[in-house]
Amino acid sequence: MTTNEQSVSTTNNFLRTIIDEDLKSGKHSGVVTRFPPEPNGYLHIGHAKSICINFGLANYFGGRCHLRFDDTNPAKEEQEYIDSIKGSVSWLGFDWGTHLYYASDNFEQLYLWAEYLIEQGKAYVEDLNAEQIRANRGTLTEAGTESPFRNRTVAENIELFRRMKSGEFPDGSRVLRAKIDMASPNMNMRDPVLYRIIHAPHPHVGDKWKIYPMYDFAHGQTDAIEGITHSICTLEFESHKPLYEWFLDNLPIPYRPRQYEFARLNLTYTVMSKRKLQELVQLKLVNGWDDPRLPTLEGLRRRGYTPASIRDFCDQIGVGRSDSWIDVSILEESVRSDLNESAPRVMAVLKPIKVTIKNYPDDLVEDFEIANHPQKPEMGIRTVHFSREIWIDRDDFMEIPSKGFHRLTVGGEVKLRFGYIITCTGVVKNDDGTVSELHCEYDPASREGIHTADGRKVKGVIHWVSASHAVTAEVRLFDRLFSDPNPDRGGIDYKQFLNPDSVEILRDCKVEWSLADADLETRYQFERTGYFRQDPKDSRTAGLVFNRIATLRDVWAKK
Ligand code: ATP
Ligand code: MG
C-alpha cells in the first residue's frame, strides 16, 4: 500500500453512525480527528486500535486525521519516542500529511487562557503541596475541603502565576488550580490542577518554560485550536468530559470540539500498560522495546507482523463502548491468514538429522522446480536441489514409533515433499545411544505421487533439505510472553506469569539454498513449521537469523 491510498476500515461502528448523522444534519461539513499520543513510550497494539479508528474514520469520510503529540510532561518525554511513534504510524499505513502537531506549540496560547481564567476569578495559585491537595480532595462520598488559598485576589494570583512562569519557585512548591467546585460528585471537577512547575527542558520547545499545563488543560483546547470535530478517546476519559467542556465554556474559544469515548483494547496473554512494558525492558526480562514477544508495534514489526494484518485485526475486533477482552489468538490468526495468501513456501529443517540415501548415486544432483505457492502460479517457481545426503527434522523420525506416527521409522517409508519415497534401512548411533544418522533407500519411480512402485500408499510426507546445498541459520521460535491469559489482574505481580518458554533459539537449522540471499522484508512459510521472516537487526550481523511470526495453527487452543 502506498501512502496516498490509505487504509479505510470496512466495518460499521457507533462512531461512524454519529459522524454520519453530524454530516447529514449539517452540524459539520467535514471530519477532522486526531491521534494524540504522549511521547513517553513506544506504541503498542492498543494504540493501533486508536490509530485505526481515528485515521480510519477520517479516511472513510474523506476528512483528515492529525498526528498530535500530547507533550505536556517534559519529565517523561523524549525525542526518541517522538521518532518511534511517527515511524509506527507510517508503518501501519497512515499518513497525517502536513498535519503534524504538538500540544506544546500552543503553550503560549494556553498560558494566556490560564491568565484569562485567573482574571475571571476562576483560577488560583495554590501553595499547598501535592499531598495536602490530595488530603483535601475528599472522597466519592465526602465533599472536599476548600483550600485556604482559594480566595486570593486576582492581582495576587496573577503576580504569583507570572513568578511561577519566570522560574522563581522550585518544582512542586506551587500549582495553578481551577476554581470550580470542591463538592462536585465528579472528582475531576474539584479544583483540578491546571499548571505545575517543572524545571526541565522539553523535547520539542526546549527550556523556554518552567511551568507546564496538565493534560486536561491542554487537550480540549488543543482540539479546538486544531479544529477537531470528533475527539475520540478511550473510556477512562469519560469522567474528564465535564472538565473538557468546562474549559471550552469558560474560555473565549469560539470553536467547540466534542469528545466521544470507546472501550480500550485488552489483549490476553500480554500486558499493555506503558509502565509495565517499561519495567520488562528495564529489568531485561525482554530484549528491548522491539523484542518480538512484546505487544509494541516495534516488536510486532520486528517479529514479522504485517501492517495489513494489524489493520485487519483492528477491523475485526470492532469499536464498542463496553470493556472486553480480546483473545490474542485473534491477532495471531490475522497474521496467519494474511501470510497464508502472500508468503512464499520454502523448506527449512529446524532440528536436523542427517539422512544418507544409500542407493542414490554419489555424484548426482537433481534440480526440482517447485512452485513458491501452491495456489498462486503467479508467485513463480524456484529450484530445490536433491542429492545423496539430506537433512530431515529429528521429530520426523522415531526409532520406536508411537501409535499413529506416520513418518519415518526403521523399516518404514515416508514421502519426501516434492521428492521421492524413502525407506529407512538402518540407524547410526552415538556412544550415548542417540541416533546420529539414518540410512535410507529411495524408490526412483516415486517422484510423482504418494504411491510406491507396487502401489502401496505412503501416509507421511516430510520436508527436507539437501545437505550439500543447505544454508545454516539461527531460528528463534517465539511463543506467548505470558503463560496466563490475564497476567495483569492486580494484586499479584504480573511478572510471575512470564512464560519460561517464550523463546527457543535453534542455532543449527538447515534451510534451503534459495534463502541464502533472502531479503529482510519477505515473510516465508516454512513448510509444515510456521511463518518466518529474517530478524531485521541481527540478520545483518549474525548470518541468517529467522524469527517465527506464527505457528501454522493455533497450538494454544489445545492446551
Ligand atoms: P497506556 O495506558 O498504555 O500507558 P496511554 O493511554 O497513556 O497508554 P497515550 O499516549 O496517552 O497512552 O495514548 C494515545 C491514545 O491511544 C489515547 O487516545 C489513548 O486513549 C489511546 N490508547 C491507549 N491505550 C489504548 C488501548 N489499549 N486501546 C485503545 N486505545 C488506546
Ligand atoms: Mg494516556
Side-chain angles (χ1 to χ4, degrees), residues 420-488:
Y420 299 103
I421 291 170
I422 55 171
T423 308
C424 179
T425 52
V427 298
V428 182
K429 291 192 176 174
N430 296 312
D431 292 344
D432 65 359
T434 54
V435 176
S436 63
E437 192 188 326
L438 304 176
H439 288 170
C440 290
E441 295 200 351
Y442 85 119
D443 175 354
S446 62
R447 243 285 265 158
E448 307 293 331
I450 52 166
H451 293 273
T452 58
D454 60 8
R456 276 171 298 118
K457 193 168 185 278
V458 175
K459 275 199 179 147
V461 179
I462 64 173
H463 61 283
W464 53 275
V465 173
S466 165
S468 54
H469 303 92
V471 182
T472 301
E474 177 176 319
V475 171
R476 298 172 181 172
L477 301 178
F478 296 112
D479 200 350
R480 296 178 182 171
L481 187 54
F482 292 90
S483 44
D484 188 279
N486 182 11
D488 195 5

Side-chain angles (χ1 to χ4, degrees), residues 97-155:
T98 56
H99 299 282
L100 173 65
Y101 300 104
Y102 295 83
S104 57
D105 282 334
N106 304 316
F107 280 176
E108 193 63 46
Q109 177 63 74
L110 290 168
Y111 175 80
L112 294 174
W113 280 334
E115 282 209 354
Y116 176 88
L117 284 182
I118 294 174
E119 276 157 12
Q120 302 292 309
K122 291 175 181 165
Y124 61 96
V125 172
E126 170 68 277
D127 291 5
L128 297 183
N129 63 32
E131 203 178 311
Q132 292 165 317
I133 292 176
R134 213 173 299 124
N136 280 350
R137 241 181 131 209
T139 63
L140 285 174
T141 49
E142 281 168 66
T145 313
E146 293 189 354
S147 164
F149 301 98
R150 198 172 197 258
N151 295 312
R152 281 178 153 147
T153 63
V154 169

Side-chain angles (χ1 to χ4, degrees), residues 36-38 40 47 70 215 234 236-237 264 274:
E38 183 182 355
N40 62 353
H47 294 116
D70 242 333
Y215 166 86
T234 36
E236 72 270 22
F237 292 104
R264 62 170 44 229
K274 279 184 206 157

